[in-house]
Amino acid sequence: MGVSQRGGLGARQLVFSILFGTAWEIASSQVHYSLPEEAKHGTFVGRIAQDLGLEVGELVSRLFRVVSEGRRDYLEVNVQNGILFVNSRIDREELCGRIPVCSIHLEVIVDKPLQVFHVEVEIKDINDNPPVFPEKQQNIFISESRLLDSRFPLEGASDADIGANSLLKYQLSHNDYLTLEMITKNDKRILPELVLHKLLDREETPEIRLLLTATDGGKPELTGTVELLITVLDVNDNPPKFDKSEYKVKLFENSPNGTLMIKLNASDSDKGINGEISYTIKRISPESEKCMFIMNSVTGDIRIHGELDFEDNDVYEIQVTATDRGAPPMAGHCTILLEVVDINDNAPEVSVTSLSLPVLEDAPAGTVIALVSVSDRDSGANGQVTCSLSPLGPFTLVSTFRNYYSLVLDSSVDRESVPAYELVVTARDEGTPVLWATARVSVDIRDVNDNAPSFEQLVYTIFVKENNPPGHHIFTVSASDPDAQENALVSYSLVEGRVGERPLSSYVSVHSGSGKVYALQPLDHEELELLQFQVSARDAGFPPLGSNVSLQVFVLDENDNAPAVLPPHSGDSPVTELVSQSVAVGHVVAKIRAVDGDSGYNAWLSYELLPEVGVGRNPFRVGLYTGEISTTRALEESDGPQKMLLVLVKDHGEPALSATATVSVSLVESGLSVKALSFNAAAAAAAGPTPEATLVDVNVYLIIAICSVSSLLVLSLLLYVALRCSVPPQAVYGPGNPTLVCSNGMESWSYSQHRPQKVCFGEVSAKTDLMAFSPNLPLSNEESQNPCLIVSYLFFNCMFLIKI
């Protein structure tokens, strides 16, 4: 059957192999088969899988497929054995006309990895068309006066085959008057002519019937016949004559309708009516429905009727007869060869076959997106086509074979930046003017999960009042994911941890869909001032991606703790204080100490001495913030031997909560007072140190420690200022340490975004107040870079740190 040829790797394949590596492969070799036309269905053409170096068992798994170039599926491949066979009847004349070489181009495509092969199947001509004469009978008029060796051209036969199958030879039936000779034209066509070798006598032989047989050069030979009816004419013995027996004319294919092709002029040496000539077109070859020719029978003008199309027919042969009006008429013959000159009147045609759409955004460079084939019906430079791609981007066109290109991914793509590309493939020919055609390719980018959910902030600060109801919504976290579909579907979860001995999940929960954070139980500021935890956001992609955000939940204090009076005045029975009547004004009789479990304003206590009913001016007062009970005037006998003082301790919360302490003051004479006091002092010494003395010692040590630390801090700050004095402040912000802020009696309490610092103390002496506060002056990061602000801040803290 056909002969398979496979070229080795050329330079082009080597370049492509280096360029694209193992991602995809385009074969530059070509397999060539030959096949006679009219082969039956199922006729073996070649073992295409074997010739292409493919494994027959992998044809199905690698999606083996054959694409023909815009033609019917004349050929098919059996994917079970890799054999190429004839699928439908192939008529070479119908497929290619008179083109010398007729081929069917196939593209063989396999995947995993992608390979493209080009296969050419040449259709060989067989002798399946016999010679055909244009008419069944040719009428020839020969004057009896014609001389010997006179020649009479005949209309030759035509054969649709090519090559040797179309080479014709002629044979004339036997007769006494005429012989047959072959005339070879300039285009190597062979035409028959009759030659007179015996003078005619009309009265003896008025009519001669001959049979002309045309035989082609095929095997087996095919023949065609035409009957020649020769009528012998009487004395009009000078036929019209043309200047040439053959005229050559060239016209552009865009010549308008009615264009003069040629003006013929034949002459006749006869006189009168025997010399009057009329012109007729005897034959036009090949015949065309688009273009015909009209001849003026009087002037000999031949004009175009219709339109010339180079792509339809590039050459026309027109046989013209000039006939005089003699009796009988005589005719002269000539042939006009019209060559149609091609112009660039056909734009290129572009065909795009998609392979890998849409494109994954993580697809590697070198991925083949589509195959592009171009064609142009014009010839020469008018049919030379080049392709370009626009706009510039991550794609490129690579030439793989003559008029074949591959659309290839040249660099990485990102769906979040550009979700789709509209590409335009432009094919331009090299004619003048240049013609072009375009094909649009829409390339969608398919999302992959390459973006993790992200929060707007790394840390969120939340303020929640204590004693919240269970299940209270305290915050909503929200993360965004620029991916698409399930890759952007975010779910939230709590990053499990422990708060003390309890799991974090017993305090808070996070709704997986909405990101809402709920407090599962009432929060107690006195138990938990700051709750820090993380929430995780994960998408639904594969593999899933996630990120965490930190939440700082500050539990704001509410006034839910009443003041508590410290011993010794905390009991139900009042404590008796002995006071000498001779004490000076302002003498401290006793000191009421109280604490409050709350913080801020809610823990800022004030003391108030409740008035006695029916009693005049009270000689005692209590310090508003110190709780010290002291005399306001000299004591008198009228004040009585004993006073019951009721002290109200009240915080500054809303609403305010309070507690009371009762103190019994006994007035004694000066001498008794001294003895009693001495006795009490001796008893106290024998009994050991009192709690008040112990508190005094503790406060002394505490004051010494605070002063030492403050001194070291001041020295460190001085050194820091010296090192950082020339550094300009930077505007950088971030979370700070939360601090509970308290002011003195003339200022207010407030709550900042700093962590409360609790300072707990035991009992204090009657004449010493130790209050540790941090002023409400939180510094931003920008301020923290300023040495002067730092010094001022610490100095202000130190001023309020100790009050003696």
Side-chain angles (χ1 to χ4, degrees):
M1 186 59 63
V3 179
S4 173
Q5 299 176 352
R6 186 174 183 181
L9 287 174
R12 178 180 297 180
Q13 184 181 5
L14 180 59
V15 172
F16 289 156
S17 299
I18 296 175
L19 180 61
F20 303 115
T22 59
W24 64 286
E25 177 182 355
I26 298 176
S28 64
S29 60
Q30 179 181 4
V31 175
H32 180 274
Y33 298 107
S34 61
L35 174 71
E37 65 175 332
E38 303 294 341
K40 295 182 180 179
H41 173 75
T43 300
F44 174 86
V45 179
R47 300 185 181 276
I48 189 170
Q50 178 180 344
D51 296 335
L52 292 177
L54 302 175
E55 293 294 331
V56 175
E58 297 178 354
L59 296 184
V60 176
S61 63
R62 294 187 64 184
L63 301 180
F64 180 94
R65 55 199 183 276
V66 176
V67 180
S68 62
E69 182 186 358
R71 302 181 184 274
R72 297 186 319 190
D73 295 329
Y74 292 109
L75 303 172
E76 187 60 59
V77 176
N78 187 336
V79 295
Q80 303 301 324
N81 55 24
I83 292 178
L84 181 67
F85 63 92
V86 176
N87 187 42
S88 62
R89 173 180 173 271
I90 304 175
D91 186 356
R92 197 207 67 80
E93 288 72 32
E94 178 186 349
L95 186 65
C96 300
R98 299 192 63 81
I99 297 176
V101 178
C102 180
S103 298
I104 297 177
H105 294 276
L106 304 176
E107 263 188 288
V108 178
I109 304 172
V110 293
D111 293 332
K112 302 177 183 178
L114 177 65
Q115 291 180 289
V116 180
F117 302 92
H118 297 278
V119 178
E120 181 180 17
V121 180
E122 181 180 358
I123 307 303
K124 296 290 187 179
D125 183 54
I126 65 173
N127 193 25
D128 59 338
N129 291 283
V132 177
F133 288 91
E135 297 175 351
K136 294 182 178 180
Q137 178 178 300
Q138 293 187 18
N139 296 320
I140 304 171
F141 300 92
I142 302 177
S143 174
E144 63 179 347
S145 62
R146 293 298 295 264
L147 301 177
L148 295 177
D149 296 326
S150 294
R151 295 178 176 270
F152 306 95
L154 300 176
E155 293 183 47
S158 61
D159 196 323
D161 296 321
I162 63 171
N165 295 329
S166 66
L167 295 179
L168 303 180
K169 56 184 178 180
Y170 296 88
Q171 186 177 359
L172 187 66
S173 60
H174 178 73
N175 69 95
D176 296 329
Y177 297 95
L178 298 167
T179 60
L180 187 67
E181 289 189 7
M182 304 300 163
I183 304 300
T184 302
K185 298 292 186 179
N186 292 338
D187 57 352
K188 298 184 179 180
R189 291 179 302 109
I190 298 176
L191 295 179
E193 284 189 353
L194 293 178
V195 180
L196 185 64
H197 69 89
K198 181 180 179 180
L199 292 176
L200 296 174
D201 185 0
R202 189 190 66 81
E203 290 72 24
E204 179 182 353
T205 310
E207 188 177 85
I208 302 173
R209 291 184 178 272
L210 303 176
L211 185 65
L212 179 64
T213 303
T215 305
D216 62 23
K219 293 182 180 180
E221 296 179 344
L222 298 179
T223 61
T225 60
V226 64
E227 183 182 18
L228 302 179
L229 177 58
I230 301 172
T231 302
V232 180
L233 302 178
D234 202 11
V235 184
N236 183 18
D237 55 347
N238 289 299
K241 293 184 179 179
F242 290 94
D243 298 335
K244 300 178 182 178
S245 62
E246 184 175 279
Y247 295 88
K248 291 185 178 180
V249 181
K250 290 185 179 181
L251 286 178
F252 287 102
E253 63 174 324
N254 64 340
S255 298
N257 186 25
T259 299
L260 177 64
M261 182 183 74
I262 191 173
K263 182 178 179 64
L264 294 176
N265 185 22
S267 61
D268 195 319
S269 58
D270 292 328
K271 299 296 182 179
I273 194 172
N274 291 330
E276 294 179 4
I277 300 173
S278 62
Y279 302 90
T280 57
I281 296 177
K282 295 293 292 182
R283 181 188 178 196
I284 301 174
S285 177
E287 295 183 356
S288 173
E289 295 180 358
K290 291 184 179 180
C291 182
M292 296 180 292
F293 302 94
I294 297 177
M295 187 169 194
N296 189 315
S297 62
V298 176
T299 63
D301 295 348
I302 300 179
R303 297 182 180 272
I304 297 173
H305 182 68
E307 61 179 17
L308 294 176
D309 189 353
F310 175 86
E311 287 70 39
D312 186 15
N313 288 305
D314 58 349
V315 174
Y316 289 92
E317 180 184 297
I318 305 171
Q319 293 183 0
V320 177
T321 299
T323 306
D324 60 24
R325 301 181 64 185
M330 299 190 70
H333 307 276
C334 73
T335 301
I336 302 170
L337 292 178
L338 173 61
E339 179 182 351
V340 181
V341 181
D342 183 44
I343 64 170
N344 195 24
D345 60 340
N346 290 283
E349 297 179 356
V350 184
S351 175
V352 179
T353 303
S354 300
L355 292 179
S356 303
L357 292 176
V359 178
L360 291 174
E361 62 178 323
D362 62 348
T367 300
V368 177
I369 308 303
L371 298 179
V372 180
S373 61
V374 296
S375 61
D376 195 315
R377 296 180 60 199
D378 294 321
S379 61
N382 297 331
Q384 298 296 323
V385 181
T386 58
C387 272
S388 62
L389 183 68
S390 64
L392 297 177
F395 301 94
T396 186
L397 277 179
V398 177
S399 176
T400 60
F401 198 67
R402 184 180 65 251
N403 292 339
Y404 289 91
Y405 296 84
S406 292
L407 179 60
V408 178
L409 181 63
D410 192 41
S411 59
S412 61
V413 292
D414 184 11
R415 189 204 65 84
E416 289 70 42
S417 299
V418 183
Y421 293 85
E422 289 294 331
L423 305 179
V424 178
V425 178
T426 303
R428 289 182 171 84
D429 59 28
E430 298 182 5
T432 304
V434 175
L435 298 180
W436 67 87
T438 60
R440 295 186 174 273
V441 183
S442 297
V443 181
D444 294 327
I445 307 301
R446 180 180 293 175
D447 182 55
V448 298
N449 194 23
D450 58 346
N451 290 281
S454 61
F455 295 91
E456 292 184 358
Q457 299 176 211
L458 297 177
V459 179
Y460 289 95
T461 301
I462 308 167
F463 297 95
V464 179
K465 289 185 178 181
E466 65 175 334
N467 302 319
N468 57 281
H472 177 61
H473 172 228
I474 61 175
F475 193 67
T476 299
V477 294
S478 178
S480 60
D481 194 319
D483 292 324
Q485 297 179 351
E486 67 274 2
N487 296 330
L489 185 60
V490 180
S491 60
Y492 304 91
S493 61
L494 190 67
V495 179
E496 190 57 71
R498 302 193 68 81
V499 180
E501 298 298 327
R502 298 174 60 183
L504 175 63
S505 56
S506 65
Y507 285 91
V508 291
S509 67
V510 179
H511 190 273
S512 62
S514 64
K516 291 185 176 181
V517 181
Y518 298 93
L520 299 180
Q521 64 180 16
L523 300 177
D524 188 359
H525 173 80
E526 288 72 38
E527 176 187 344
L528 183 66
E529 298 179 9
L530 173 62
L531 179 61
Q532 298 189 62
F533 59 93
Q534 287 187 326
V535 174
S536 174
R538 299 180 73 82
D539 57 33
F542 183 81
L545 301 178
S547 61
N548 296 343
V549 66
S550 296
L551 275 68
Q552 293 183 342
V553 180
F554 288 91
V555 182
L556 301 180
D557 182 55
E558 289 189 340
N559 195 25
D560 58 346
N561 290 283
V565 179
L566 296 177
H569 301 96
S570 60
D572 295 334
S573 58
V575 176
T576 302
E577 301 289 346
L578 300 177
V579 179
S580 174
Q581 292 182 354
S582 60
V583 295
V585 176
H587 175 71
V588 176
V589 175
K591 183 178 178 65
I592 303 301
R593 295 175 300 278
V595 294
D596 195 314
D598 296 321
S599 60
Y601 265 108
N602 298 328
W604 184 23
L605 303 181
S606 62
Y607 301 85
E608 179 182 349
L609 189 61
L610 297 179
E612 295 182 70
V613 180
V615 178
R617 183 186 173 203
N618 199 327
F620 300 98
R621 69 176 180 85
V622 64
L624 180 61
Y625 300 112
T626 62
E628 293 180 344
I629 301 175
S630 60
T631 59
T632 59
R633 60 179 176 81
L635 299 179
E636 301 173 355
E637 291 184 0
S638 62
D639 293 327
Q642 187 174 14
K643 285 283 187 181
M644 295 297 293
L645 303 179
L646 184 60
V647 179
L648 177 66
V649 184
K650 183 172 60 175
D651 59 27
H652 285 69
E654 291 291 340
L657 300 179
S658 62
T660 58
T662 304
V663 179
S664 176
V665 178
S666 296
L667 302 180
V668 296
E669 297 179 357
S670 300
L672 292 175
S673 176
V674 171
K675 290 180 181 180
L677 291 175
S678 299
F679 177 78
N680 289 338
T690 64
E692 293 182 1
T694 303
L695 287 176
V696 170
D697 294 338
V698 170
N699 287 339
V700 170
Y701 295 145
L702 184 58
I703 291 171
I704 294 173
I706 291 175
C707 292
S708 301
V709 172
S710 300
S711 300
L712 292 175
L713 180 61
V714 170
L715 290 176
S716 300
L717 287 175
L718 290 176
L719 179 60
Y720 176 80
V721 170
L723 294 175
R724 297 283 295 176
C725 228
S726 60
V727 178
Q730 300 177 353
V732 181
Y733 296 90
N737 293 326
T739 304
L740 181 63
V741 179
C742 173
S743 70
N744 60 11
M746 300 304 295
E747 297 178 29
S748 64
W749 291 66
S750 64
Y751 213 100
S752 72
Q753 294 183 9
H754 297 268
R755 184 180 178 86
Q757 303 293 334
K758 287 194 173 181
V759 180
C760 298
F761 300 92
E763 295 185 0
V764 295
S765 64
K767 295 186 178 183
T768 302
D769 275 345
L770 178 60
M771 294 188 294
F773 298 131
S774 294
N776 184 20
L777 297 174
L779 296 179
S780 67
N781 282 356
E782 178 179 3
E783 295 170 340
S784 65
Q785 303 295 323
N786 192 322
C788 297
L789 288 178
I790 294 175
V791 173
S792 300
Y793 175 74
L794 293 174
F795 176 76
F796 187 75
N797 280 336
C798 291
M799 293 299 99
F800 284 88
L801 186 63
I802 302 172
K803 177 182 179 183
I804 300 177

